[in-house]
PDB file of all heavy atoms in Angstrom:
ATOM      1  N   LEU A   2       0.463   2.248  -0.788  1.00 90.00           N
ATOM      2  CA  LEU A   2       1.214   3.478  -0.841  1.00 90.00           C
ATOM      3  C   LEU A   2       0.408   4.594  -0.127  1.00 90.00           C
ATOM      4  O   LEU A   2      -0.810   4.733  -0.371  1.00 90.00           O
ATOM      5  CB  LEU A   2       1.433   3.896  -2.308  1.00 90.00           C
ATOM      6  CG  LEU A   2       2.183   5.164  -2.560  1.00 90.00           C
ATOM      7  CD1 LEU A   2       3.586   5.105  -2.005  1.00 90.00           C
ATOM      8  CD2 LEU A   2       2.252   5.466  -4.063  1.00 90.00           C
ATOM      9  N   ARG A   3       1.038   5.326   0.765  1.00 90.00           N
ATOM     10  CA  ARG A   3       0.396   6.364   1.504  1.00 90.00           C
ATOM     11  C   ARG A   3       1.231   7.637   1.426  1.00 90.00           C
ATOM     12  O   ARG A   3       2.446   7.611   1.498  1.00 90.00           O
ATOM     13  CB  ARG A   3       0.242   5.949   2.979  1.00 90.00           C
ATOM     14  CG  ARG A   3      -0.515   6.950   3.850  1.00 90.00           C
ATOM     15  CD  ARG A   3      -0.859   6.251   5.203  1.00 90.00           C
ATOM     16  NE  ARG A   3       0.349   5.914   5.911  1.00 90.00           N
ATOM     17  CZ  ARG A   3       0.900   6.701   6.857  1.00 90.00           C
ATOM     18  NH1 ARG A   3       0.328   7.863   7.161  1.00 90.00           N
ATOM     19  NH2 ARG A   3       1.963   6.306   7.505  1.00 90.00           N
ATOM     20  N   ALA A   4       0.594   8.806   1.259  1.00 85.00           N
ATOM     21  CA  ALA A   4       1.273  10.104   1.151  1.00 85.00           C
ATOM     22  C   ALA A   4       0.823  10.986   2.330  1.00 85.00           C
ATOM     23  O   ALA A   4      -0.355  11.097   2.622  1.00 85.00           O
ATOM     24  CB  ALA A   4       0.984  10.760  -0.143  1.00 85.00           C
ATOM     25  N   VAL A  33      13.925   6.067   3.929  1.00 96.00           N
ATOM     26  CA  VAL A  33      14.678   6.616   2.807  1.00 96.00           C
ATOM     27  C   VAL A  33      14.735   8.142   2.958  1.00 96.00           C
ATOM     28  O   VAL A  33      13.712   8.763   3.094  1.00 96.00           O
ATOM     29  CB  VAL A  33      14.003   6.257   1.482  1.00 96.00           C
ATOM     30  CG1 VAL A  33      14.798   6.750   0.301  1.00 96.00           C
ATOM     31  CG2 VAL A  33      13.860   4.704   1.411  1.00 96.00           C
ATOM     32  N   VAL A  34      15.917   8.718   2.923  1.00 94.00           N
ATOM     33  CA  VAL A  34      16.125  10.117   3.164  1.00 94.00           C
ATOM     34  C   VAL A  34      16.631  10.856   1.921  1.00 94.00           C
ATOM     35  O   VAL A  34      17.228  10.246   0.989  1.00 94.00           O
ATOM     36  CB  VAL A  34      17.115  10.364   4.350  1.00 94.00           C
ATOM     37  CG1 VAL A  34      16.481   9.866   5.593  1.00 94.00           C
ATOM     38  CG2 VAL A  34      18.452   9.725   4.059  1.00 94.00           C
ATOM     39  N   GLY A  35      16.371  12.168   1.884  1.00 89.00           N
ATOM     40  CA  GLY A  35      16.786  12.943   0.717  1.00 89.00           C
ATOM     41  C   GLY A  35      18.272  13.133   0.670  1.00 89.00           C
ATOM     42  O   GLY A  35      18.833  13.383  -0.463  1.00 89.00           O
ATOM     43  N   PHE A  62      17.997   7.400  -1.593  1.00 94.00           N
ATOM     44  CA  PHE A  62      17.092   6.729  -2.512  1.00 94.00           C
ATOM     45  C   PHE A  62      17.829   5.753  -3.425  1.00 94.00           C
ATOM     46  O   PHE A  62      17.376   4.619  -3.639  1.00 94.00           O
ATOM     47  CB  PHE A  62      16.334   7.752  -3.381  1.00 94.00           C
ATOM     48  CG  PHE A  62      15.012   7.252  -3.845  1.00 94.00           C
ATOM     49  CD1 PHE A  62      13.875   7.624  -3.200  1.00 94.00           C
ATOM     50  CD2 PHE A  62      14.906   6.402  -4.920  1.00 94.00           C
ATOM     51  CE1 PHE A  62      12.608   7.106  -3.607  1.00 94.00           C
ATOM     52  CE2 PHE A  62      13.696   5.870  -5.335  1.00 94.00           C
ATOM     53  CZ  PHE A  62      12.537   6.287  -4.704  1.00 94.00           C
ATOM     54  N   LEU A 143      16.060   9.042 -14.543  1.00 94.00           N
ATOM     55  CA  LEU A 143      15.124   9.497 -13.502  1.00 94.00           C
ATOM     56  C   LEU A 143      13.846  10.063 -14.097  1.00 94.00           C
ATOM     57  O   LEU A 143      12.739   9.747 -13.574  1.00 94.00           O
ATOM     58  CB  LEU A 143      15.795  10.535 -12.648  1.00 94.00           C
ATOM     59  CG  LEU A 143      16.806  10.061 -11.630  1.00 94.00           C
ATOM     60  CD1 LEU A 143      17.540  11.253 -10.995  1.00 94.00           C
ATOM     61  CD2 LEU A 143      16.118   9.278 -10.528  1.00 94.00           C
ATOM     62  N   SER A 144      13.948  10.900 -15.105  1.00 92.00           N
ATOM     63  CA  SER A 144      12.756  11.684 -15.549  1.00 92.00           C
ATOM     64  C   SER A 144      12.094  11.082 -16.811  1.00 92.00           C
ATOM     65  O   SER A 144      10.916  11.336 -17.005  1.00 92.00           O
ATOM     66  CB  SER A 144      13.120  13.153 -15.791  1.00 92.00           C
ATOM     67  OG  SER A 144      14.105  13.223 -16.794  1.00 92.00           O
ATOM     68  N   VAL A 219       9.565   7.211   3.396  1.00 95.00           N
ATOM     69  CA  VAL A 219      10.422   8.084   2.564  1.00 95.00           C
ATOM     70  C   VAL A 219      10.268   9.514   3.161  1.00 95.00           C
ATOM     71  O   VAL A 219       9.162  10.019   3.235  1.00 95.00           O
ATOM     72  CB  VAL A 219       9.998   8.094   1.090  1.00 95.00           C
ATOM     73  CG1 VAL A 219      10.855   9.028   0.282  1.00 95.00           C
ATOM     74  CG2 VAL A 219      10.043   6.681   0.534  1.00 95.00           C
ATOM     75  N   PHE A 220      11.336  10.069   3.575  1.00 94.00           N
ATOM     76  CA  PHE A 220      11.291  11.363   4.283  1.00 94.00           C
ATOM     77  C   PHE A 220      12.339  12.332   3.784  1.00 94.00           C
ATOM     78  O   PHE A 220      13.519  11.939   3.528  1.00 94.00           O
ATOM     79  CB  PHE A 220      11.543  11.118   5.788  1.00 94.00           C
ATOM     80  CG  PHE A 220      11.268  12.305   6.706  1.00 94.00           C
ATOM     81  CD1 PHE A 220      10.035  12.454   7.296  1.00 94.00           C
ATOM     82  CD2 PHE A 220      12.286  13.233   6.904  1.00 94.00           C
ATOM     83  CE1 PHE A 220       9.789  13.567   8.123  1.00 94.00           C
ATOM     84  CE2 PHE A 220      12.013  14.322   7.728  1.00 94.00           C
ATOM     85  CZ  PHE A 220      10.778  14.489   8.321  1.00 94.00           C
ATOM     86  N   GLY A 221      11.979  13.593   3.650  1.00 85.00           N
ATOM     87  CA  GLY A 221      12.960  14.607   3.290  1.00 85.00           C
ATOM     88  C   GLY A 221      13.146  14.817   1.800  1.00 85.00           C
ATOM     89  O   GLY A 221      14.083  15.566   1.405  1.00 85.00           O
ATOM     90  N   LEU A 222      12.320  14.298   0.960  1.00 83.00           N
ATOM     91  CA  LEU A 222      12.327  14.582  -0.480  1.00 83.00           C
ATOM     92  C   LEU A 222      11.119  15.422  -0.805  1.00 83.00           C
ATOM     93  O   LEU A 222       9.945  15.001  -0.617  1.00 83.00           O
ATOM     94  CB  LEU A 222      12.289  13.340  -1.347  1.00 83.00           C
ATOM     95  CG  LEU A 222      13.593  12.510  -1.396  1.00 83.00           C
ATOM     96  CD1 LEU A 222      13.685  11.562  -0.194  1.00 83.00           C
ATOM     97  CD2 LEU A 222      13.652  11.673  -2.665  1.00 83.00           C
ATOM     98  N   SER A 223      11.359  16.673  -1.237  1.00 76.00           N
ATOM     99  CA  SER A 223      10.211  17.558  -1.502  1.00 76.00           C
ATOM    100  C   SER A 223       9.484  17.241  -2.811  1.00 76.00           C
ATOM    101  O   SER A 223       8.363  17.647  -3.031  1.00 76.00           O
ATOM    102  CB  SER A 223      10.676  19.039  -1.512  1.00 76.00           C
ATOM    103  OG  SER A 223      11.670  19.248  -2.484  1.00 76.00           O
ATOM    104  N   PHE A 224      10.175  16.520  -3.712  1.00 83.00           N
ATOM    105  CA  PHE A 224       9.500  16.015  -4.891  1.00 83.00           C
ATOM    106  C   PHE A 224      10.226  14.751  -5.371  1.00 83.00           C
ATOM    107  O   PHE A 224      11.347  14.485  -4.995  1.00 83.00           O
ATOM    108  CB  PHE A 224       9.523  17.094  -6.006  1.00 83.00           C
ATOM    109  CG  PHE A 224      10.855  17.328  -6.621  1.00 83.00           C
ATOM    110  CD1 PHE A 224      11.268  16.685  -7.775  1.00 83.00           C
ATOM    111  CD2 PHE A 224      11.742  18.234  -6.043  1.00 83.00           C
ATOM    112  CE1 PHE A 224      12.480  16.872  -8.327  1.00 83.00           C
ATOM    113  CE2 PHE A 224      12.986  18.486  -6.636  1.00 83.00           C
ATOM    114  CZ  PHE A 224      13.336  17.805  -7.766  1.00 83.00           C
ATOM    115  N   LEU A 225       9.538  13.981  -6.165  1.00 88.00           N
ATOM    116  CA  LEU A 225      10.028  12.698  -6.673  1.00 88.00           C
ATOM    117  C   LEU A 225      10.032  12.702  -8.144  1.00 88.00           C
ATOM    118  O   LEU A 225       9.082  13.154  -8.805  1.00 88.00           O
ATOM    119  CB  LEU A 225       9.180  11.527  -6.153  1.00 88.00           C
ATOM    120  CG  LEU A 225       9.180  11.337  -4.630  1.00 88.00           C
ATOM    121  CD1 LEU A 225       8.078  10.314  -4.269  1.00 88.00           C
ATOM    122  CD2 LEU A 225      10.532  10.783  -4.187  1.00 88.00           C
ATOM    123  N   ALA A 226      11.137  12.206  -8.765  1.00 89.00           N
ATOM    124  CA  ALA A 226      11.223  12.087 -10.197  1.00 89.00           C
ATOM    125  C   ALA A 226      10.318  10.922 -10.664  1.00 89.00           C
ATOM    126  O   ALA A 226       9.915  10.070  -9.845  1.00 89.00           O
ATOM    127  CB  ALA A 226      12.686  11.832 -10.619  1.00 89.00           C
ATOM    128  N   ARG A 227      10.072  10.873 -11.955  1.00 91.00           N
ATOM    129  CA  ARG A 227       9.158   9.835 -12.456  1.00 91.00           C
ATOM    130  C   ARG A 227       9.654   8.425 -12.113  1.00 91.00           C
ATOM    131  O   ARG A 227       8.825   7.565 -11.721  1.00 91.00           O
ATOM    132  CB  ARG A 227       9.039  10.008 -13.959  1.00 91.00           C
ATOM    133  CG  ARG A 227       8.105   9.036 -14.628  1.00 91.00           C
ATOM    134  CD  ARG A 227       7.932   9.399 -16.120  1.00 91.00           C
ATOM    135  NE  ARG A 227       7.365   8.307 -16.886  1.00 91.00           N
ATOM    136  CZ  ARG A 227       7.152   8.340 -18.208  1.00 91.00           C
ATOM    137  NH1 ARG A 227       7.486   9.417 -18.873  1.00 91.00           N
ATOM    138  NH2 ARG A 227       6.571   7.304 -18.828  1.00 91.00           N
ATOM    139  N   ALA A 228      10.926   8.150 -12.300  1.00 93.00           N
ATOM    140  CA  ALA A 228      11.418   6.815 -12.018  1.00 93.00           C
ATOM    141  C   ALA A 228      11.281   6.431 -10.585  1.00 93.00           C
ATOM    142  O   ALA A 228      10.999   5.301 -10.180  1.00 93.00           O
ATOM    143  CB  ALA A 228      12.880   6.674 -12.447  1.00 93.00           C
ATOM    144  N   GLN A 229      11.458   7.460  -9.655  1.00 93.00           N
ATOM    145  CA  GLN A 229      11.303   7.222  -8.225  1.00 93.00           C
ATOM    146  C   GLN A 229       9.832   6.898  -7.870  1.00 93.00           C
ATOM    147  O   GLN A 229       9.544   6.028  -7.103  1.00 93.00           O
ATOM    148  CB  GLN A 229      11.825   8.444  -7.466  1.00 93.00           C
ATOM    149  CG  GLN A 229      13.297   8.651  -7.595  1.00 93.00           C
ATOM    150  CD  GLN A 229      13.760   9.992  -6.995  1.00 93.00           C
ATOM    151  OE1 GLN A 229      13.039  10.947  -7.060  1.00 93.00           O
ATOM    152  NE2 GLN A 229      14.957   9.960  -6.406  1.00 93.00           N
ATOM    153  N   LEU A 230       8.921   7.654  -8.513  1.00 91.00           N
ATOM    154  CA  LEU A 230       7.557   7.416  -8.308  1.00 91.00           C
ATOM    155  C   LEU A 230       7.113   6.019  -8.778  1.00 91.00           C
ATOM    156  O   LEU A 230       6.399   5.268  -8.084  1.00 91.00           O
ATOM    157  CB  LEU A 230       6.652   8.436  -9.058  1.00 91.00           C
ATOM    158  CG  LEU A 230       6.557   9.821  -8.405  1.00 91.00           C
ATOM    159  CD1 LEU A 230       6.033  10.825  -9.391  1.00 91.00           C
ATOM    160  CD2 LEU A 230       5.666   9.786  -7.163  1.00 91.00           C
ATOM    161  N   GLU A 231       7.661   5.630  -9.912  1.00 92.00           N
ATOM    162  CA  GLU A 231       7.285   4.296 -10.458  1.00 92.00           C
ATOM    163  C   GLU A 231       7.881   3.193  -9.565  1.00 92.00           C
ATOM    164  O   GLU A 231       7.267   2.175  -9.396  1.00 92.00           O
ATOM    165  CB  GLU A 231       7.807   4.192 -11.911  1.00 92.00           C
ATOM    166  CG  GLU A 231       7.013   5.082 -12.854  1.00 92.00           C
ATOM    167  CD  GLU A 231       7.532   4.918 -14.303  1.00 92.00           C
ATOM    168  OE1 GLU A 231       8.539   4.219 -14.525  1.00 92.00           O
ATOM    169  OE2 GLU A 231       6.934   5.571 -15.196  1.00 92.00           O
ATOM    170  N   ALA A 232       9.098   3.439  -9.034  1.00 94.00           N
ATOM    171  CA  ALA A 232       9.723   2.468  -8.177  1.00 94.00           C
ATOM    172  C   ALA A 232       8.868   2.243  -6.906  1.00 94.00           C
ATOM    173  O   ALA A 232       8.620   1.118  -6.466  1.00 94.00           O
ATOM    174  CB  ALA A 232      11.110   2.848  -7.824  1.00 94.00           C
ATOM    175  N   LEU A 233       8.411   3.360  -6.321  1.00 93.00           N
ATOM    176  CA  LEU A 233       7.615   3.244  -5.080  1.00 93.00           C
ATOM    177  C   LEU A 233       6.241   2.617  -5.399  1.00 93.00           C
ATOM    178  O   LEU A 233       5.696   1.850  -4.583  1.00 93.00           O
ATOM    179  CB  LEU A 233       7.450   4.665  -4.461  1.00 93.00           C
ATOM    180  CG  LEU A 233       8.741   5.257  -3.902  1.00 93.00           C
ATOM    181  CD1 LEU A 233       8.427   6.666  -3.382  1.00 93.00           C
ATOM    182  CD2 LEU A 233       9.353   4.421  -2.812  1.00 93.00           C
ATOM    183  N   SER A 234       5.681   2.960  -6.551  1.00 92.00           N
ATOM    184  CA  SER A 234       4.406   2.328  -6.919  1.00 92.00           C
ATOM    185  C   SER A 234       4.566   0.868  -7.095  1.00 92.00           C
ATOM    186  O   SER A 234       3.674   0.085  -6.699  1.00 92.00           O
ATOM    187  CB  SER A 234       3.876   3.004  -8.185  1.00 92.00           C
ATOM    188  OG  SER A 234       3.661   4.372  -8.026  1.00 92.00           O
ATOM    189  N   VAL A 242       4.329   1.417   1.931  1.00 94.00           N
ATOM    190  CA  VAL A 242       5.266   2.541   1.659  1.00 94.00           C
ATOM    191  C   VAL A 242       4.551   3.838   2.055  1.00 94.00           C
ATOM    192  O   VAL A 242       3.443   4.106   1.608  1.00 94.00           O
ATOM    193  CB  VAL A 242       5.658   2.592   0.163  1.00 94.00           C
ATOM    194  CG1 VAL A 242       6.586   3.797  -0.113  1.00 94.00           C
ATOM    195  CG2 VAL A 242       6.298   1.299  -0.273  1.00 94.00           C
ATOM    196  N   ALA A 243       5.193   4.641   2.887  1.00 93.00           N
ATOM    197  CA  ALA A 243       4.630   5.948   3.293  1.00 93.00           C
ATOM    198  C   ALA A 243       5.668   7.019   2.888  1.00 93.00           C
ATOM    199  O   ALA A 243       6.831   6.933   3.140  1.00 93.00           O
ATOM    200  CB  ALA A 243       4.424   5.982   4.801  1.00 93.00           C
ATOM    201  N   VAL A 244       5.129   8.037   2.204  1.00 92.00           N
ATOM    202  CA  VAL A 244       5.966   9.111   1.675  1.00 92.00           C
ATOM    203  C   VAL A 244       5.573  10.396   2.448  1.00 92.00           C
ATOM    204  O   VAL A 244       4.408  10.789   2.383  1.00 92.00           O
ATOM    205  CB  VAL A 244       5.799   9.317   0.159  1.00 92.00           C
ATOM    206  CG1 VAL A 244       6.769  10.391  -0.318  1.00 92.00           C
ATOM    207  CG2 VAL A 244       6.059   7.985  -0.552  1.00 92.00           C
ATOM    208  N   TYR A 245       6.533  11.051   3.124  1.00 92.00           N
ATOM    209  CA  TYR A 245       6.319  12.217   3.841  1.00 92.00           C
ATOM    210  C   TYR A 245       6.889  13.427   3.088  1.00 92.00           C
ATOM    211  O   TYR A 245       8.102  13.546   2.912  1.00 92.00           O
ATOM    212  CB  TYR A 245       6.988  12.154   5.212  1.00 92.00           C
ATOM    213  CG  TYR A 245       6.429  11.016   6.055  1.00 92.00           C
ATOM    214  CD1 TYR A 245       6.915   9.681   5.895  1.00 92.00           C
ATOM    215  CD2 TYR A 245       5.422  11.260   6.964  1.00 92.00           C
ATOM    216  CE1 TYR A 245       6.413   8.665   6.616  1.00 92.00           C
ATOM    217  CE2 TYR A 245       4.918  10.152   7.744  1.00 92.00           C
ATOM    218  CZ  TYR A 245       5.390   8.885   7.553  1.00 92.00           C
ATOM    219  OH  TYR A 245       4.831   7.828   8.307  1.00 92.00           O
ATOM    220  N   VAL A 246       6.024  14.242   2.492  1.00 85.00           N
ATOM    221  CA  VAL A 246       6.397  15.271   1.536  1.00 85.00           C
ATOM    222  C   VAL A 246       6.310  16.669   2.213  1.00 85.00           C
ATOM    223  O   VAL A 246       5.259  17.010   2.755  1.00 85.00           O
ATOM    224  CB  VAL A 246       5.502  15.250   0.289  1.00 85.00           C
ATOM    225  CG1 VAL A 246       5.970  16.330  -0.719  1.00 85.00           C
ATOM    226  CG2 VAL A 246       5.587  13.871  -0.325  1.00 85.00           C
ATOM    227  N   ARG A 280       5.286  23.930  -7.913  1.00 71.00           N
ATOM    228  CA  ARG A 280       4.918  23.119  -9.087  1.00 71.00           C
ATOM    229  C   ARG A 280       5.423  21.681  -8.949  1.00 71.00           C
ATOM    230  O   ARG A 280       4.634  20.754  -9.102  1.00 71.00           O
ATOM    231  CB  ARG A 280       5.499  23.790 -10.334  1.00 71.00           C
ATOM    232  CG  ARG A 280       5.245  22.992 -11.615  1.00 71.00           C
ATOM    233  CD  ARG A 280       5.762  23.662 -12.847  1.00 71.00           C
ATOM    234  NE  ARG A 280       5.084  24.920 -13.148  1.00 71.00           N
ATOM    235  CZ  ARG A 280       5.698  26.091 -13.088  1.00 71.00           C
ATOM    236  NH1 ARG A 280       6.941  26.177 -12.700  1.00 71.00           N
ATOM    237  NH2 ARG A 280       4.976  27.156 -13.368  1.00 71.00           N
ATOM    238  N   PRO A 281       6.737  21.423  -8.709  1.00 73.00           N
ATOM    239  CA  PRO A 281       7.157  20.041  -8.553  1.00 73.00           C
ATOM    240  C   PRO A 281       6.531  19.299  -7.379  1.00 73.00           C
ATOM    241  O   PRO A 281       6.243  18.134  -7.475  1.00 73.00           O
ATOM    242  CB  PRO A 281       8.690  20.114  -8.440  1.00 73.00           C
ATOM    243  CG  PRO A 281       8.933  21.507  -8.048  1.00 73.00           C
ATOM    244  CD  PRO A 281       7.892  22.357  -8.596  1.00 73.00           C
ATOM    245  N   VAL A 282       6.303  20.032  -6.317  1.00 73.00           N
ATOM    246  CA  VAL A 282       5.628  19.420  -5.153  1.00 73.00           C
ATOM    247  C   VAL A 282       4.187  19.071  -5.505  1.00 73.00           C
ATOM    248  O   VAL A 282       3.719  17.972  -5.199  1.00 73.00           O
ATOM    249  CB  VAL A 282       5.651  20.369  -3.935  1.00 73.00           C
ATOM    250  CG1 VAL A 282       4.867  19.774  -2.786  1.00 73.00           C
ATOM    251  CG2 VAL A 282       7.067  20.667  -3.507  1.00 73.00           C
ATOM    252  N   ARG A 283       3.487  19.976  -6.181  1.00 74.00           N
ATOM    253  CA  ARG A 283       2.114  19.698  -6.597  1.00 74.00           C
ATOM    254  C   ARG A 283       2.090  18.484  -7.498  1.00 74.00           C
ATOM    255  O   ARG A 283       1.197  17.586  -7.356  1.00 74.00           O
ATOM    256  CB  ARG A 283       1.566  20.962  -7.329  1.00 74.00           C
ATOM    257  CG  ARG A 283       0.050  20.935  -7.585  1.00 74.00           C
ATOM    258  CD  ARG A 283      -0.385  20.057  -8.784  1.00 74.00           C
ATOM    259  NE  ARG A 283       0.328  20.341  -9.984  1.00 74.00           N
ATOM    260  CZ  ARG A 283      -0.116  21.177 -10.973  1.00 74.00           C
ATOM    261  NH1 ARG A 283      -1.207  21.802 -10.808  1.00 74.00           N
ATOM    262  NH2 ARG A 283       0.595  21.390 -12.047  1.00 74.00           N
ATOM    263  N   ASP A 284       2.986  18.436  -8.455  1.00 75.00           N
ATOM    264  CA  ASP A 284       3.019  17.246  -9.400  1.00 75.00           C
ATOM    265  C   ASP A 284       3.300  15.982  -8.628  1.00 75.00           C
ATOM    266  O   ASP A 284       2.681  14.942  -8.925  1.00 75.00           O
ATOM    267  CB  ASP A 284       4.050  17.463 -10.436  1.00 75.00           C
ATOM    268  CG  ASP A 284       3.683  18.606 -11.392  1.00 75.00           C
ATOM    269  OD1 ASP A 284       2.525  19.042 -11.401  1.00 75.00           O
ATOM    270  OD2 ASP A 284       4.588  19.071 -12.124  1.00 75.00           O
ATOM    271  N   THR A 285       4.229  16.023  -7.676  1.00 76.00           N
ATOM    272  CA  THR A 285       4.525  14.817  -6.916  1.00 76.00           C
ATOM    273  C   THR A 285       3.338  14.351  -6.041  1.00 76.00           C
ATOM    274  O   THR A 285       2.970  13.151  -6.033  1.00 76.00           O
ATOM    275  CB  THR A 285       5.759  15.073  -5.959  1.00 76.00           C
ATOM    276  OG1 THR A 285       6.902  15.290  -6.751  1.00 76.00           O
ATOM    277  CG2 THR A 285       5.922  13.912  -5.028  1.00 76.00           C
ATOM    278  N   LEU A 286       2.651  15.297  -5.407  1.00 74.00           N
ATOM    279  CA  LEU A 286       1.549  14.971  -4.551  1.00 74.00           C
ATOM    280  C   LEU A 286       0.376  14.409  -5.437  1.00 74.00           C
ATOM    281  O   LEU A 286      -0.307  13.455  -5.058  1.00 74.00           O
ATOM    282  CB  LEU A 286       1.076  16.155  -3.745  1.00 74.00           C
ATOM    283  CG  LEU A 286       1.945  16.518  -2.549  1.00 74.00           C
ATOM    284  CD1 LEU A 286       1.539  17.843  -1.935  1.00 74.00           C
ATOM    285  CD2 LEU A 286       1.925  15.421  -1.469  1.00 74.00           C
ATOM    286  N   ALA A 288       0.641  12.892  -8.265  1.00 76.00           N
ATOM    287  CA  ALA A 288       1.017  11.532  -8.713  1.00 76.00           C
ATOM    288  C   ALA A 288       0.884  10.527  -7.606  1.00 76.00           C
ATOM    289  O   ALA A 288       0.397   9.386  -7.788  1.00 76.00           O
ATOM    290  CB  ALA A 288       2.426  11.549  -9.233  1.00 76.00           C
ATOM    291  N   LEU A 289       1.255  10.923  -6.371  1.00 76.00           N
ATOM    292  CA  LEU A 289       1.123  10.036  -5.229  1.00 76.00           C
ATOM    293  C   LEU A 289      -0.348   9.725  -4.902  1.00 76.00           C
ATOM    294  O   LEU A 289      -0.742   8.609  -4.641  1.00 76.00           O
ATOM    295  CB  LEU A 289       1.798  10.629  -4.002  1.00 76.00           C
ATOM    296  CG  LEU A 289       3.332  10.607  -4.027  1.00 76.00           C
ATOM    297  CD1 LEU A 289       3.911  11.423  -2.870  1.00 76.00           C
ATOM    298  CD2 LEU A 289       3.882   9.179  -3.928  1.00 76.00           C
ATOM    299  N   ARG A 292      -1.726   7.325  -7.343  1.00 76.00           N
ATOM    300  CA  ARG A 292      -1.210   5.994  -7.142  1.00 76.00           C
ATOM    301  C   ARG A 292      -1.780   5.339  -5.863  1.00 76.00           C
ATOM    302  O   ARG A 292      -1.750   4.104  -5.758  1.00 76.00           O
ATOM    303  CB  ARG A 292       0.271   5.982  -7.142  1.00 76.00           C
ATOM    304  CG  ARG A 292       0.895   6.120  -8.513  1.00 76.00           C
ATOM    305  CD  ARG A 292       2.343   6.557  -8.444  1.00 76.00           C
ATOM    306  NE  ARG A 292       3.040   6.484  -9.701  1.00 76.00           N
ATOM    307  CZ  ARG A 292       2.869   7.367 -10.689  1.00 76.00           C
ATOM    308  NH1 ARG A 292       2.082   8.457 -10.500  1.00 76.00           N
ATOM    309  NH2 ARG A 292       3.514   7.258 -11.841  1.00 76.00           N
TER     310      ARG A 292
END
Side-chain angles (χ1 to χ4, degrees):
L2 181 62
R3 183 169 64 95
V33 182
V34 294
F62 207 99
L143 282 171
S144 62
V219 180
F220 190 94
L222 285 84
S223 58
F224 70 95
L225 296 168
R227 180 174 167 184
Q229 294 171 326
L230 282 166
E231 291 181 356
L233 294 178
S234 298
V242 179
V244 184
Y245 299 84
V246 182
R280 180 180 293 114
V282 176
R283 191 282 308 264
D284 292 345
T285 292
L286 285 172
L289 287 170
R292 285 163 169 77

